[in-house]
Structures are given as C-alpha cells and as structure tokens.
C-alpha cells in the first residue's frame, strides 16, 4: 500500500523474504550515494515511521558497496577481505546478540584466514578457490552461475562479487547489522563500511597483518578501526556507546568460527 500511495521514495523495491516472520517484507533501495543517499534514506525512514512499520530479530540491514573500480584487481579485493577478517571482532561487538549468532551473517574469523587471503591475493582465481573452499575450476564456474550460494551468508558476502558478470555492476555486500528503520543507524552503518572499503584500497598487507592483527580487546580494536578509516569523534562515540550497550552479552558468548577458518590453506593457496 505504501508503494501504491507513493509514501515511500520512488525506486524502492518491496520483496518477500522467506527468512522473515509471516507478513514481513524486504525493502531494497536503488543504487544511491552521497548527499542523495542521505536524503533518500531519511525520506524512507520517515515514511516507515509514519505508517508504524517495525522490525524484529529476523530482520537484517544489508549494505551493498560498489566494487566496479577494483573488479579486476585481486590485491584490492584481498585487502577488503583481510580488513573485514581482522576487524570483524570490532564489528561484532557493536551489534546485538541476535546478529552475532545469526546463520545468515556468519563470521569470517581469525588471523589465519587473513594470512591465507594474503597468500591468495596474487590472482583472482586463487581468491575464488579460497572463498569457495575448492580447487576445482569447474565447480567454481558452476557455483558462480547462481546468485545464491551458502558462502554468501557471511558478514562480508563476496559471492555476489564473484558472481557478477559485468564489471560496472560488481559489488560486495555487508550483512551483519540488525534490521532498523532508524536513519541514524542506517546512515552510520553505511558510512562506516564505505570508509572501510575506501581505506582497504590504499593499504598494504603489512599495514593490516603486522599492525592491527595483534589487537585483541574489542574497545581498542574499535578505536584502531576508527583511526584507520578516519571516523569522526562523534561517530566513534556512537560506536563506543553501541559497544557498551552490548558488552555484557558479547563477553558471555563464545562465537563459533565459520568454515572459512578451518580451510586447508596450504592446498588452497599453493602456487
């Protein structure tokens, strides 16, 4: 009804989603950026608030990041992947329990993964073999034909990148955040990941592996990430507040590593 009445901004897609509770729908914005994106999100959130829309624990916020400028550069894709593998503890610390244990946004986890990514970064096909955990070029080719594959259900979804057949449409997806109709949460989350992707493009593996991989304490890791990507003090204070809000449950839980942390890196990354 909101679409018919033009209550929500033009271009928003409304889709069913089997992962949501009965009656739930997924809203998909068109590609947006900059000040236009900010205004668009504010209009959408206002419209949803006005009709008393709500979210529950089955809902998630997915952000798609343009990768068309690095679509043919395995080093840059590897840098993005490494950045998320190393700093995902900081990201997990600022989301609620329902997202940290969510099967649709599994952790990448572990410095072992980051080192494996670095060794595979010489060639896109090596990155694909690491991501899909197979040495078979034929199997990978078959997997990439489909939009949906189990590997997409990680905090960072690179299957959607590898699946893309057109360079100008290449993008990655961040799946971790809980569903929300708060413009502050949506814009803050989108800004964080846009900065992470932009920062990954200018880093070297040694920047990530030698400096940041030794930081363990979540608060320190949040601060290190904020400094690295150039977050404002206001934004840092917001993420600190999120961390403190969820700190108790984060400390009480032991996160289960995803399959990506138990891969045979010797075989997958062999020359």
């Amino acid at each position: 009804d909101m679409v018919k009445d033009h209550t929500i901004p033009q271009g928003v897609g409304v889709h069913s989603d089997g992962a949501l509770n009965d009656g739930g729908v997924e809203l998909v914005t068109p590609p947006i950026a900059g000040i236009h994106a900010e205004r668009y999100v504010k209009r959408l959130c206002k419209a949803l608030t006005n009709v008393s829309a709500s979210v529950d624990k089955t809902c998630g916020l997915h952000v798609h990041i343009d990768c068309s400028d690095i679509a043919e550069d395995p080093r840059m894709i590897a840098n993005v992947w490494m950045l998320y593998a190393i700093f995902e503890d900081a990201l997990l610390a600022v989301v609620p329990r329902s997202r940290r244990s969510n099967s649709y946004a599994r952790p990448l986890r572990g410095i072992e993964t980051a080192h494996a990514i670095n060794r595979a970064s010489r060639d896109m096909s090596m990155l694909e073999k690491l991501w899909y955990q197979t040495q078979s070029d034929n199997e990978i080719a078959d997997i990439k034909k489909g939009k949906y594959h189990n590997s997409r259900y990680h905090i960072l979804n690179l299957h959607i990148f590898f699946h893309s057949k057109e360079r100008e449409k290449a993008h990655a997806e961040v799946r971790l955040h809980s569903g929300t109709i708060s413009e502050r949460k949506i814009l803050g989350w989108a800004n964080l990941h846009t900065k992470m992707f932009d920062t990954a493009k200018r880093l070297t593996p040694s920047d990530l592996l030698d400096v940041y991989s030794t930081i363990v304490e979540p608060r320190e890791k949040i601060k290190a990430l904020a400094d690295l990507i150039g977050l404002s003090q206001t934004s840092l204070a917001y993420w600190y507040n999120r961390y403190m809000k969820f700190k108790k449950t984060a400390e009480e839980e032991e996160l289960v590593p995803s399959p990506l942390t138990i891969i045979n890196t010797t075989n997958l990354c062999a020359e």
Side-chain angles (χ1 to χ4, degrees):
D1 291 339
M2 289 187 295
V3 178
K4 295 178 182 178
D5 297 339
H6 305 288
T7 306
I8 61 176
Q10 185 176 6
V12 173
V14 181
H15 308 282
S16 60
D17 190 322
L20 301 176
N21 283 330
D22 291 345
V25 295
E26 177 184 42
L27 300 183
V28 182
T29 72
I32 49 178
I35 189 64
H36 172 62
E38 183 176 342
R39 292 169 179 167
Y40 197 98
V41 168
K42 288 181 177 180
R43 285 175 55 206
L44 176 58
C45 291
K46 182 178 180 180
L48 293 172
T49 300
N50 287 343
V51 297
S52 301
S54 62
V55 298
D56 61 24
K57 291 182 179 180
T58 65
C59 301
L61 170 64
H62 300 171
V63 177
H64 293 250
I65 309 290
D66 178 31
C67 293
S68 58
D69 58 333
I70 59 173
E72 297 179 3
D73 190 335
R75 169 52 66 188
M76 292 297 97
I77 298 301
N79 280 358
V80 169
W81 188 357
M82 276 193 288
L83 185 63
Y84 276 82
I86 290 172
F87 280 103
E88 70 175 356
D89 287 346
L91 301 176
L92 287 163
V94 297
V95 297
R97 176 176 181 174
S98 61
R99 303 309 295 173
R100 293 195 299 272
S101 57
N102 190 283
S103 61
Y104 293 105
R106 302 193 305 269
L108 299 166
R109 295 313 303 260
I111 190 59
E112 295 84 1
T113 300
H115 281 292
I117 298 164
N118 184 38
R119 291 192 292 271
S121 64
R122 296 185 296 274
D123 183 83
M124 198 70 77
S125 65
M126 294 178 68
L127 288 175
E128 290 178 347
K129 289 175 181 178
L130 184 62
W131 181 261
Y132 294 116
Q133 303 179 56
T134 178
Q135 286 283 7
S136 171
D137 293 330
N138 290 335
E139 183 179 354
I140 291 173
D142 287 339
I143 291 172
K144 288 167 58 178
K145 291 177 182 177
K147 180 179 179 181
Y148 302 103
H149 182 259
N150 188 52
S151 67
R152 70 196 294 261
Y153 297 122
H154 285 90
I155 290 173
L156 175 68
N157 170 17
L158 289 181
H159 169 66
I160 200 168
F161 169 80
F162 294 129
H163 161 73
S164 178
K165 298 177 178 63
E166 301 176 58
R167 175 177 177 177
E168 61 272 16
K169 294 183 180 180
H171 63 283
E173 177 189 35
V174 182
R175 301 177 57 89
L176 181 61
H177 202 283
S178 51
T180 180
I181 59 172
S182 163
E183 65 181 58
R184 181 183 184 186
K185 292 179 181 179
I186 294 172
L187 293 173
W189 189 246
N191 178 61
L192 172 67
H193 294 288
T194 299
K195 285 182 174 294
M196 287 183 70
F197 271 68
D198 288 343
T199 300
K201 298 173 187 178
R202 63 174 173 79
L203 295 177
T204 65
S206 60
D207 291 330
L208 291 169
L209 296 172
D210 297 344
V211 179
Y212 297 102
S213 62
T214 59
I215 302 174
V216 177
E217 203 277 321
R219 185 181 178 92
E220 292 181 9
K221 216 159 192 179
I222 294 169
K223 177 63 164 60
L225 177 60
D227 290 344
L228 177 64
I229 67 177
L231 281 184
S232 67
Q233 287 299 309
T234 300
S235 294
L236 176 58
Y238 170 76
W239 293 116
Y240 271 160
N241 288 337
R242 295 274 296 179
Y243 164 64
M244 293 305 297
K245 178 179 180 180
F246 302 121
K247 183 173 184 290
K248 182 178 180 180
T249 52
E251 290 177 342
E252 290 174 349
E253 295 171 10
E254 179 179 354
L255 296 170
V256 179
S258 83
L260 284 178
T261 64
I262 57 174
I263 53 179
N264 187 326
T265 57
T266 301
N267 291 337
L268 290 175
C269 300
E271 297 185 17

